[in-house]
Amino acid sequence: MAARSKARKRAVDVLYEADVRGRDRLELLRERVADGNPPVSEHAVRLVEGVAEHGARIDELIGAHASNWSLDRLPDVDRAILRMATYELLWADDVPDAVVIDEAVELAKALSTDDSPKYVNGVLGAILAAEVPTA
C-alpha cells in the first residue's frame, strides 16, 4: 500500500475512533502520534487536522449531498471516510480529485458495507460538482 493510502487509512481510523468514542479529534490524534504504534504520518496528521479545522463546513456539505440520509444516520466508517475525502478534495490542492475519490471508494470497499463504495463515490462526486468550478 502506498504511503498516502496508508495515511488516509490512518486518518480514517482516528476520525472513526474519535466519532465513536465521542472524543476530540485533535486530542485523540496527539495521543496516537505520541503512541506511534502504528505510526501516524505527516499526511495523516494533515488530514485529521484539516477535518477538525473545517469540520462544520465538511459536515454541512456531506449533509447536503447525502441523498435522503442525515449525517448521523450514515455508518460511522462512511462518515469518517467522507469527512477525510471532502477535506482532501476541497482543501488539499496537491492531490488530484480523481485520486481522492478513488482512494475513498477503496477504503469504503475495505472497511464498510457492500453499498458503501457506490454511495461514497456518489456523495463525493456531488460535492465536487457543486463546490469546484470547472475551467
Side-chain angles (χ1 to χ4, degrees):
M1 186 182 285
R4 286 236 171 150
S5 296
K6 287 180 185 177
R8 289 180 186 95
K9 166 69 168 70
R10 191 69 176 121
V12 166
D13 290 345
V14 171
L15 293 170
Y16 171 83
E17 182 180 354
D19 201 23
V20 169
R21 293 184 175 200
R23 299 275 313 275
D24 178 81
R25 295 170 182 139
L26 296 177
E27 180 183 307
L28 183 63
L29 176 64
R30 284 189 292 274
E31 289 174 15
R32 296 299 168 257
V33 168
D35 179 39
N37 189 17
V40 181
S41 71
E42 287 182 32
H43 190 63
V45 169
R46 172 185 175 204
L47 294 172
V48 174
E49 288 176 343
V51 170
E53 179 180 351
H54 299 283
R57 179 68 178 141
I58 289 168
D59 285 356
E60 177 184 315
L61 288 167
I62 294 168
H65 297 285
S67 55
N68 301 321
W69 284 82
S70 62
L71 192 64
D72 61 337
R73 284 191 60 218
L74 291 173
D76 296 327
V77 71
D78 291 1
R79 193 169 42 247
I81 292 167
L82 286 167
R83 284 173 170 158
M84 181 270 311
T86 300
Y87 166 75
E88 199 168 21
L89 275 176
L90 300 180
W91 287 278
D93 296 331
D94 61 330
V95 183
D97 296 338
V99 171
V100 172
I101 293 173
D102 184 58
E103 291 275 335
V105 167
E106 289 303 313
L107 283 167
K109 284 180 186 176
L111 302 173
S112 197
T113 69
D114 290 343
D115 295 330
S116 292
K118 183 178 177 182
Y119 188 77
V120 164
N121 184 58
V123 172
L124 293 174
I127 289 170
L128 185 63
E131 296 299 312
V132 178
T134 56

